[in-house]
Amino acid sequence: MNLVYEWRDAPQADFAVIGDPVSHSLSPRMHSAAYECLGLPYHYVAIRVDKGEVSRALEHLKAMGYKGVNATVPHKEEALEWCEIQEPLALRARAANTLNLQSRTCINTDAPGFLATLKGVDLPSNSALILGAGGSARSILIALAGEGYELKLFNRTRSKAIDLAQELELPSGTVLDQADPSGAGLIVNTTSASLQKEHVPLVWDRASTRTLAYDLMYAKEPTPFLAKAASMGMQTLDGRAMLMEQGALAFEWWTGIPAPRRAMAEALQ
Ligand code: NDP
């Protein structure tokens, strides 16, 4: 658990993650490990911000001299709106997770960070089933569509999946009535079900053992989704890989220095 500051009580520092809740975030530990590894004199802290107060909080941190901020749930959209220069990918994803406060610029490192974690993974097909239709599903769908994946989407509230598929101009037939993984080389759980320690209603007996089950969530124990996938003999990956890659890309964008990925990954173990 982090020491968490309310934004009005933020200490002098260089970088921060803002969210609500934010006490569980591993970003302070990961970025601090990177600074320590390279001997950089920076401080990275966790700051809680209420929904609707993101602009005021960012103005405050900017005035205090903060260089950059990572925005996490539920602030990625408000963070995007605060910026004057928005990367096209962040605009399309309607989510900015990395901001340069002094230049009021933002990018989205979730989508490229996610793709980076798939490099070198042997997937049995380029068909992907995405579970969930929230903000991170949007980023993952944009990332995978850009790489030519054939996409399927399932969400417990079907209308949200339909809206998202339409917004992203995905082909008809993308939205499924049930979470059927037939033919999928990759299944990505972007839902918050794991956060609530709940199972997602996947038709498990139609999944191939060569399929990669990927949960954006991470916890000390495997999430219910990954525990079930592992028990079926499937490949598994949790959200720490993506957390590290999106953090490494943010570090590089802020500092212009190659990120010490090994030190950052070790800090997450
Ligand atoms: P959103 O709130 O935008 O979306 C949540 C989605 O989860 C919705 O589709 C919702 O369905 C679904 N959902 C919630 N509870 C359940 C449940 N019990 N069973 C089935 N579906 C459920 O969240 P985000 O997309 O922003 O984030 C989702 C998760 O991804 C979070 O846990 C977050 O921590 C994680 N994440 C991890 C990252 C990393 O670096 N590892 C990066 C970004 C996110 P409905 O529409 O029906 O409500």
Side-chain angles (χ1 to χ4, degrees):
M1 287 287 178
N2 295 304
L3 180 58
V4 175
Y5 299 93
E6 296 296 312
W7 68 265
R8 290 180 181 83
D9 304 325
Q12 269 314 323
D14 305 284
F15 297 98
V17 56
I18 62 164
D20 185 23
V22 74
S23 60
H24 65 287
S25 171
L26 295 177
S27 289
R29 192 197 294 184
M30 176 175 68
H31 283 274
S32 299
Y35 307 150
E36 195 179 324
C37 174
L38 298 178
L40 299 172
Y42 296 143
H43 290 290
Y44 188 115
V45 294
I47 297 178
R48 199 191 71 81
V49 177
D50 279 322
K51 243 184 148 181
E53 291 200 336
V54 172
S55 287
R56 279 202 288 162
L58 291 174
E59 290 297 345
H60 181 68
L61 297 176
K62 180 176 189 279
M64 286 182 72
Y66 276 64
K67 296 175 178 45
V69 156
N70 285 132
T72 188
V73 181
H75 295 330
K76 294 181 188 181
E77 198 161 347
E78 274 187 74
L80 175 76
E81 284 159 13
W82 179 81
C83 290
E84 283 166 2
I85 304 169
Q86 302 150 321
E87 175 206 36
L89 173 63
L91 265 180
R92 185 143 192 257
R94 295 217 316 251
N97 74 324
T98 304
L99 283 74
N100 180 321
L101 295 192
Q102 301 308 318
S103 63
R104 284 183 102 103
T105 310
C106 64
I107 58 171
N108 178 311
T109 67
D110 284 335
F114 171 78
L115 286 180
T117 64
L118 294 181
K119 278 191 192 129
V121 180
D122 184 21
L123 299 178
S125 78
N126 76 336
S127 168
L129 170 61
I130 312 305
L131 307 174
S136 51
R138 184 186 287 110
S139 293
I140 300 300
L141 287 164
I142 291 170
L144 290 173
E147 293 296 302
Y149 278 77
E150 184 201 320
L151 299 170
K152 298 289 177 200
L153 177 60
F154 173 82
N155 190 45
R156 66 177 177 184
T157 309
R158 192 165 189 274
S159 59
K160 286 196 196 162
I162 291 171
D163 289 349
L164 183 56
Q166 277 174 355
E167 179 197 322
L168 298 180
E169 298 177 343
L170 299 175
S172 64
T174 298
V175 177
L176 303 180
D177 291 329
Q178 57 174 351
D180 180 350
S182 302
L186 169 67
I187 306 170
V188 190
N189 182 18
T190 77
T191 76
S192 315
S194 298
L195 208 59
Q196 301 141 20
K197 296 194 166 49
E198 287 179 13
H199 282 276
V200 282
L202 193 79
V203 189
W204 286 99
D205 56 8
R206 294 193 200 150
S208 154
T209 52
R210 293 186 55 222
T211 297
L212 173 65
Y214 194 143
D215 199 329
L216 295 197
M217 262 290 299
Y218 50 84
K220 277 198 186 116
E221 303 295 321
T223 65
F225 171 73
L226 293 185
K228 175 71 181 171
S231 76
M232 305 272 302
M234 296 165 68
Q235 310 184 66
T236 61
L237 195 59
D238 78 12
R240 272 175 294 199
M242 176 171 165
L243 178 70
M244 192 280 284
E245 278 297 341
Q246 64 77 26
L249 293 172
F251 176 96
E252 289 171 349
W253 189 66
W254 283 326
T255 66
I257 301 169
R261 283 176 167 72
R262 184 176 296 179
M264 294 172 85
E266 280 170 4
L268 299 179
Q269 296 310 317

Short mmCIF file of all heavy atoms in Angstrom, two decimals, residues 70-94:
data_model
loop_
_atom_site.label_atom_id
_atom_site.label_comp_id
_atom_site.label_asym_id
_atom_site.label_seq_id
_atom_site.Cartn_x
_atom_site.Cartn_y
_atom_site.Cartn_z
N ASN A 70 0.80 10.29 -14.24
CA ASN A 70 0.06 9.17 -14.80
C ASN A 70 -1.36 9.24 -14.26
O ASN A 70 -1.55 9.44 -13.06
CB ASN A 70 0.65 7.81 -14.38
CG ASN A 70 1.93 7.46 -15.10
OD1 ASN A 70 2.91 7.07 -14.49
ND2 ASN A 70 1.91 7.58 -16.42
N ALA A 71 -2.35 9.10 -15.15
CA ALA A 71 -3.74 9.07 -14.71
C ALA A 71 -4.22 7.63 -14.76
O ALA A 71 -4.00 6.93 -15.75
CB ALA A 71 -4.61 9.94 -15.62
N THR A 72 -4.84 7.19 -13.66
CA THR A 72 -5.41 5.85 -13.68
C THR A 72 -6.91 5.96 -13.41
O THR A 72 -7.46 7.07 -13.32
CB THR A 72 -4.67 4.90 -12.70
OG1 THR A 72 -5.15 3.58 -12.89
CG2 THR A 72 -4.83 5.31 -11.25
N VAL A 73 -7.57 4.80 -13.31
CA VAL A 73 -9.04 4.75 -13.16
C VAL A 73 -9.48 5.63 -12.00
O VAL A 73 -8.87 5.55 -10.93
CB VAL A 73 -9.46 3.28 -12.87
CG1 VAL A 73 -10.97 3.16 -12.74
CG2 VAL A 73 -8.95 2.36 -13.98
N PRO A 74 -10.46 6.51 -12.08
CA PRO A 74 -11.32 6.74 -13.26
C PRO A 74 -11.01 8.07 -13.96
O PRO A 74 -11.94 8.71 -14.46
CB PRO A 74 -12.70 6.82 -12.60
CG PRO A 74 -12.42 7.55 -11.29
CD PRO A 74 -11.01 7.18 -10.88
N HIS A 75 -9.74 8.45 -14.03
CA HIS A 75 -9.43 9.83 -14.42
C HIS A 75 -8.85 10.01 -15.83
O HIS A 75 -8.43 11.11 -16.19
CB HIS A 75 -8.45 10.45 -13.42
CG HIS A 75 -9.03 10.60 -12.04
ND1 HIS A 75 -10.36 10.79 -11.82
CD2 HIS A 75 -8.43 10.56 -10.81
CE1 HIS A 75 -10.58 10.89 -10.52
NE2 HIS A 75 -9.43 10.73 -9.89
N LYS A 76 -8.80 8.94 -16.62
CA LYS A 76 -8.09 9.05 -17.90
C LYS A 76 -8.79 9.99 -18.87
O LYS A 76 -8.15 10.64 -19.69
CB LYS A 76 -7.91 7.66 -18.52
CG LYS A 76 -6.98 6.78 -17.70
CD LYS A 76 -6.77 5.42 -18.30
CE LYS A 76 -6.00 4.53 -17.33
NZ LYS A 76 -5.73 3.20 -17.85
N GLU A 77 -10.12 10.06 -18.81
CA GLU A 77 -10.85 10.92 -19.74
C GLU A 77 -10.74 12.39 -19.32
O GLU A 77 -10.50 13.27 -20.14
CB GLU A 77 -12.31 10.47 -19.83
CG GLU A 77 -13.00 11.01 -21.05
CD GLU A 77 -14.28 10.25 -21.42
OE1 GLU A 77 -14.53 9.15 -20.88
OE2 GLU A 77 -15.03 10.79 -22.24
N GLU A 78 -10.91 12.65 -18.03
CA GLU A 78 -10.78 14.03 -17.54
C GLU A 78 -9.36 14.55 -17.78
O GLU A 78 -9.15 15.73 -18.08
CB GLU A 78 -11.08 14.10 -16.04
CG GLU A 78 -12.55 14.26 -15.70
CD GLU A 78 -12.74 14.47 -14.21
OE1 GLU A 78 -12.44 15.57 -13.71
OE2 GLU A 78 -13.18 13.52 -13.53
N ALA A 79 -8.38 13.66 -17.62
CA ALA A 79 -6.99 14.05 -17.85
C ALA A 79 -6.78 14.45 -19.31
O ALA A 79 -6.10 15.43 -19.62
CB ALA A 79 -6.05 12.91 -17.47
N LEU A 80 -7.39 13.68 -20.20
CA LEU A 80 -7.30 13.99 -21.64
C LEU A 80 -7.86 15.38 -21.92
O LEU A 80 -7.27 16.19 -22.65
CB LEU A 80 -8.09 12.94 -22.43
CG LEU A 80 -8.21 13.15 -23.93
CD1 LEU A 80 -6.91 12.78 -24.63
CD2 LEU A 80 -9.35 12.30 -24.51
N GLU A 81 -9.02 15.67 -21.31
CA GLU A 81 -9.70 16.95 -21.58
C GLU A 81 -8.88 18.14 -21.09
O GLU A 81 -8.97 19.24 -21.65
CB GLU A 81 -11.09 16.95 -20.91
CG GLU A 81 -12.09 16.12 -21.70
CD GLU A 81 -13.27 15.67 -20.86
OE1 GLU A 81 -13.45 16.20 -19.74
OE2 GLU A 81 -14.01 14.79 -21.33
N TRP A 82 -8.09 17.95 -20.05
CA TRP A 82 -7.30 19.05 -19.49
C TRP A 82 -6.17 19.47 -20.45
O TRP A 82 -5.73 20.62 -20.45
CB TRP A 82 -6.73 18.63 -18.13
CG TRP A 82 -5.88 19.68 -17.49
CD1 TRP A 82 -6.29 20.77 -16.78
CD2 TRP A 82 -4.44 19.75 -17.50
NE1 TRP A 82 -5.22 21.50 -16.35
CE2 TRP A 82 -4.07 20.89 -16.78
CE3 TRP A 82 -3.44 18.94 -18.05
CZ2 TRP A 82 -2.73 21.25 -16.58
CZ3 TRP A 82 -2.10 19.30 -17.86
CH2 TRP A 82 -1.76 20.44 -17.14
N CYS A 83 -5.71 18.53 -21.25
CA CYS A 83 -4.53 18.79 -22.08
C CYS A 83 -4.87 19.64 -23.31
O CYS A 83 -5.97 19.56 -23.85
CB CYS A 83 -3.91 17.47 -22.53
SG CYS A 83 -3.15 16.62 -21.15
N GLU A 84 -3.89 20.43 -23.74
CA GLU A 84 -4.09 21.26 -24.94
C GLU A 84 -3.58 20.54 -26.18
O GLU A 84 -4.09 20.74 -27.27
CB GLU A 84 -3.35 22.59 -24.78
CG GLU A 84 -4.10 23.54 -23.87
CD GLU A 84 -3.27 24.72 -23.43
OE1 GLU A 84 -2.11 24.86 -23.84
OE2 GLU A 84 -3.82 25.52 -22.64
N ILE A 85 -2.56 19.70 -25.98
CA ILE A 85 -2.04 18.92 -27.12
C ILE A 85 -2.28 17.45 -26.80
O ILE A 85 -1.72 16.90 -25.84
CB ILE A 85 -0.54 19.20 -27.35
CG1 ILE A 85 -0.32 20.70 -27.54
CG2 ILE A 85 -0.03 18.42 -28.57
CD1 ILE A 85 1.12 21.12 -27.53
N GLN A 86 -3.14 16.83 -27.61
CA GLN A 86 -3.55 15.44 -27.34
C GLN A 86 -3.09 14.56 -28.49
O GLN A 86 -3.42 14.82 -29.66
CB GLN A 86 -5.07 15.36 -27.19
CG GLN A 86 -5.62 16.25 -26.09
CD GLN A 86 -7.02 16.73 -26.37
OE1 GLN A 86 -7.36 17.06 -27.50
NE2 GLN A 86 -7.85 16.77 -25.35
N GLU A 87 -2.34 13.51 -28.15
CA GLU A 87 -1.91 12.55 -29.16
C GLU A 87 -3.15 11.91 -29.83
O GLU A 87 -4.15 11.63 -29.14
CB GLU A 87 -1.11 11.47 -28.41
CG GLU A 87 -0.65 10.31 -29.24
CD GLU A 87 -0.45 9.07 -28.36
OE1 GLU A 87 -1.22 8.86 -27.41
OE2 GLU A 87 0.48 8.32 -28.67
N PRO A 88 -3.13 11.69 -31.16
CA PRO A 88 -4.30 11.11 -31.83
C PRO A 88 -4.77 9.79 -31.20
O PRO A 88 -5.97 9.56 -31.07
CB PRO A 88 -3.81 10.89 -33.27
CG PRO A 88 -2.71 11.90 -33.45
CD PRO A 88 -2.08 12.07 -32.11
N LEU A 89 -3.84 8.94 -30.79
CA LEU A 89 -4.24 7.66 -30.18
C LEU A 89 -5.01 7.89 -28.87
O LEU A 89 -6.03 7.24 -28.61
CB LEU A 89 -3.00 6.80 -29.91
CG LEU A 89 -3.24 5.51 -29.13
CD1 LEU A 89 -4.14 4.56 -29.90
CD2 LEU A 89 -1.92 4.82 -28.80
N ALA A 90 -4.54 8.84 -28.06
CA ALA A 90 -5.24 9.14 -26.81
C ALA A 90 -6.63 9.69 -27.09
O ALA A 90 -7.61 9.33 -26.42
CB ALA A 90 -4.43 10.15 -25.98
N LEU A 91 -6.72 10.51 -28.12
CA LEU A 91 -8.03 11.07 -28.49
C LEU A 91 -8.98 9.96 -28.91
O LEU A 91 -10.13 9.92 -28.50
CB LEU A 91 -7.85 12.03 -29.68
CG LEU A 91 -7.69 13.50 -29.36
CD1 LEU A 91 -7.52 14.27 -30.66
CD2 LEU A 91 -8.89 14.05 -28.58
N ARG A 92 -8.48 9.03 -29.73
CA ARG A 92 -9.33 7.94 -30.23
C ARG A 92 -9.73 7.02 -29.08
O ARG A 92 -10.86 6.55 -29.01
CB ARG A 92 -8.55 7.18 -31.32
CG ARG A 92 -9.36 6.12 -31.99
CD ARG A 92 -9.07 5.98 -33.49
NE ARG A 92 -10.10 5.14 -34.07
CZ ARG A 92 -9.91 3.87 -34.39
NH1 ARG A 92 -8.74 3.30 -34.21
NH2 ARG A 92 -10.91 3.16 -34.89
N ALA A 93 -8.77 6.77 -28.19
CA ALA A 93 -9.05 5.89 -27.03
C ALA A 93 -9.87 6.61 -25.96
O ALA A 93 -10.35 6.01 -25.03
CB ALA A 93 -7.74 5.38 -26.44
N ARG A 94 -10.01 7.92 -26.13
CA ARG A 94 -10.68 8.78 -25.15
C ARG A 94 -10.08 8.60 -23.76
O ARG A 94 -10.76 8.60 -22.74
CB ARG A 94 -12.19 8.51 -25.11
CG ARG A 94 -12.90 8.84 -26.40
CD ARG A 94 -14.29 9.44 -26.21
NE ARG A 94 -15.08 8.78 -25.21
CZ ARG A 94 -16.15 8.01 -25.45
NH1 ARG A 94 -16.51 7.80 -26.70
NH2 ARG A 94 -16.83 7.48 -24.49
#
